[in-house]
Amino acid sequence: MLPQVERLEAHPHIEGCTVVSYTTEQAGQWLLDVALHSVAVRGSPYRLDVKADVACATSTTSQGAGLSRATRGSESAFVITAGDRFCNRCDEGGARFWATLSAMPESAARRGRPVADCEIVDCEDGTYLGLYTLPREAPSDCILRIFLDQEQIRGSPFQIAVS
């Protein structure tokens, strides 16, 4: 069974016509029942396909071994899954994710210095592949920060144990 729309508001628009608007925060397929004086309007119920809103940092998650450990000289990876402000999974790409990989703040001389470049590949389905390769001289602990625009995503920063 499809979820039901929780809130409807009728607005007078043109004499003899009514414009109906609805609000939903849940992406997915919905049925919209429209009735006038308890009589269904022709074609009702209408099937609606509600898409997720744009990606939001606080609802975006990531997973993968590259968020917790890496081996010098070998490629490490992680996956970002974009979520909208209502915690719906985004199913399209186009969000501006970026990441920094820096040395743990072990000493003032090394604090925050970039360790390696991190590439983010848009898979165009709401997921993004993060890739990086630590150089042989990388410190034993690093910090990975993942951003959507200028805000860190949920769980970021990540501490990376390097071997």
Side-chain angles (χ1 to χ4, degrees):
M1 179 162 168
L2 297 172
Q4 299 294 309
V5 175
E6 295 180 8
R7 184 174 27 171
L8 291 177
E9 297 176 20
H11 300 283
H13 184 61
I14 300 173
E15 189 175 326
C17 294
T18 301
V19 174
V20 178
S21 64
Y22 63 92
T23 303
T24 182
E25 296 176 355
Q26 185 178 355
Q29 291 188 335
W30 292 78
L31 285 180
L32 177 63
D33 288 302
V34 180
L36 179 62
H37 304 293
S38 301
V39 177
V41 171
R42 187 178 357 177
S44 181
Y46 299 96
R47 183 177 292 271
L48 306 174
D49 188 19
V50 178
K51 299 286 187 185
D53 200 0
V54 297
C56 169
T58 57
S59 296
T60 294
T61 60
S62 57
Q63 62 184 27
L67 298 175
S68 60
R69 62 184 182 280
T71 302
R72 292 176 185 95
S74 296
E75 188 171 71
S76 296
F78 57 91
V79 175
I80 300 167
T81 303
D84 72 7
R85 63 190 171 125
F86 304 113
C87 297
N88 295 299
R89 185 189 179 284
C90 296
D91 58 3
E92 296 178 357
R96 294 180 304 264
F97 289 101
W98 57 285
T100 62
L101 194 59
S102 55
M104 276 284 285
E106 301 166 329
S107 68
R110 291 171 62 162
R111 185 169 293 135
R113 285 191 10 219
V115 174
D117 291 330
C118 190
E119 179 183 10
I120 306 292
V121 178
D122 187 344
C123 299
E124 299 181 8
D125 63 356
T127 63
Y128 300 76
L129 178 62
L131 301 166
Y132 64 89
T133 302
L134 292 176
R136 301 261 182 231
E137 65 277 3
S140 58
D141 291 303
C142 294
I143 295 289
L144 174 66
R145 289 180 171 82
I146 305 172
F147 297 87
L148 171 59
D149 295 322
Q150 298 302 313
E151 186 177 351
Q152 290 190 63
I153 69 167
R154 187 182 334 164
S156 181
F158 301 92
Q159 185 172 343
I160 313 297
V162 179
S163 58

